[in-house]
Amino acid sequence: MKLQVIDHPLVSHKLTVLRDKKTPSTVFRQLVEELIMLLSYESTRDVEVVDKQIVTPVAPMTGRAMATPAPIVVPILRAGLGMLEGMMKLMPTAEVGFLGLKRNEETLEAVTYANRLPDDLTGRQCFVLDPMLATGHTLIASIDYLLERGARDVTAICILAAPEGLATLEEHLGDRANVRVVVAAVDDHLNEKGYIVPGLGDAGDRLYGVVD
């Protein structure tokens, strides 16, 4: 597993505003989209491309275009949906699948409740979107699902990560898969409820409001 922390002034600025509890949901959603575009730019440096012959208004040339099959973007419901628009603006020809996982608040384990993905992902590059890598259980379940269906490599894009979750993910994966985790920051620790500290609160609630 490879970890990449994006050190960029704009990333730091937008993340600071996201963390502020006074930031309203409308601004929070817009900043998430902008932040994910910045993270996605770095995350897609290794996306597979092939030569393509085109004709410009001036002359023929050989350009570069995304290879097929197209990468697949997998937002983890529900908070990952808030990251999808920023990713798709950068890579509009990618396909989109969905995984619904929620955390059992007693065991902190991830439970799958929805799946809209192809059964065969052989050779596919996959990008998983999940704002918070806290305990790591949700990301482990998601990555295992993709790899079991033949995904070639997986990049997880998260806004924040906790050291405990990164350690759990690395221990689980070992060297058996080509997995990269791209984050805006690695925070200090998890609290007794499994939330990232200092964090930014519940990303889903801040994006969409509290659902009873």
Side-chain angles (χ1 to χ4, degrees):
M1 185 190 89
K2 297 179 181 178
L3 172 65
Q4 183 178 7
V5 182
I6 304 303
D7 183 14
H8 190 286
L10 289 178
V11 170
S12 299
H13 168 74
K14 293 178 190 297
L15 180 56
T16 298
V17 182
L18 279 180
R19 291 183 188 274
D20 191 336
K21 67 178 183 180
K22 295 182 292 184
T23 299
S25 290
T26 52
V27 177
F28 192 92
R29 285 193 294 270
Q30 181 62 38
L31 284 169
V32 166
E33 180 179 320
E34 294 171 1
L35 184 56
I36 297 312
M37 288 182 70
L38 293 170
L39 297 182
S40 299
Y41 179 79
E42 296 294 335
S43 303
T44 53
R45 285 189 178 274
D46 295 327
V47 72
E48 189 174 344
V49 293
V50 295
D51 290 342
K52 182 177 181 179
Q53 302 298 320
I54 63 169
V55 179
T56 78
V58 179
M61 68 161 286
T62 302
R64 304 283 278 168
M66 287 175 56
T68 54
I72 187 165
V73 179
V74 185
I76 305 303
L77 304 176
R78 69 179 165 132
L81 283 176
M83 305 168 69
L84 180 60
E85 186 66 21
M87 183 75 177
M88 296 308 292
K89 282 185 176 180
L90 195 72
M91 198 165 56
T93 58
E95 297 180 7
V96 180
F98 298 92
L99 273 177
L101 294 104
K102 62 181 179 180
R103 185 170 66 171
N104 183 308
E105 295 301 331
E106 294 182 0
T107 66
L108 303 184
E109 295 289 334
V111 179
T112 302
Y113 66 87
N115 165 25
R116 295 288 293 176
L117 282 168
D119 289 332
D120 185 5
L121 295 171
T122 301
R124 302 292 291 272
Q125 289 180 292
C126 298
F127 294 87
V128 179
L129 307 180
D130 196 11
M132 314 293 279
L133 199 176
T135 63
H137 296 143
T138 297
L139 207 52
I140 284 172
S142 304
I143 292 172
D144 279 348
Y145 185 96
L146 298 174
L147 295 176
E148 287 167 3
R149 283 153 182 78
R152 180 165 60 84
D153 61 68
V154 178
T155 297
I157 303 174
C158 306
I159 296 174
L160 294 178
E164 297 92 331
L166 288 168
T168 299
L169 180 62
E170 186 169 28
E171 181 181 2
H172 176 81
L173 291 172
D175 296 325
R176 68 184 178 90
N178 181 21
V179 174
R180 182 164 59 130
V181 178
V182 179
V183 300
V186 177
D187 273 9
D188 189 62
H189 66 281
L190 293 178
N191 65 17
E192 66 280 359
K193 294 183 178 180
Y195 285 93
I196 299 174
V197 179
L200 50 75
D202 187 295
D205 287 350
R206 296 197 66 187
L207 280 163
Y208 305 117
V210 179
V211 178
D212 294 328

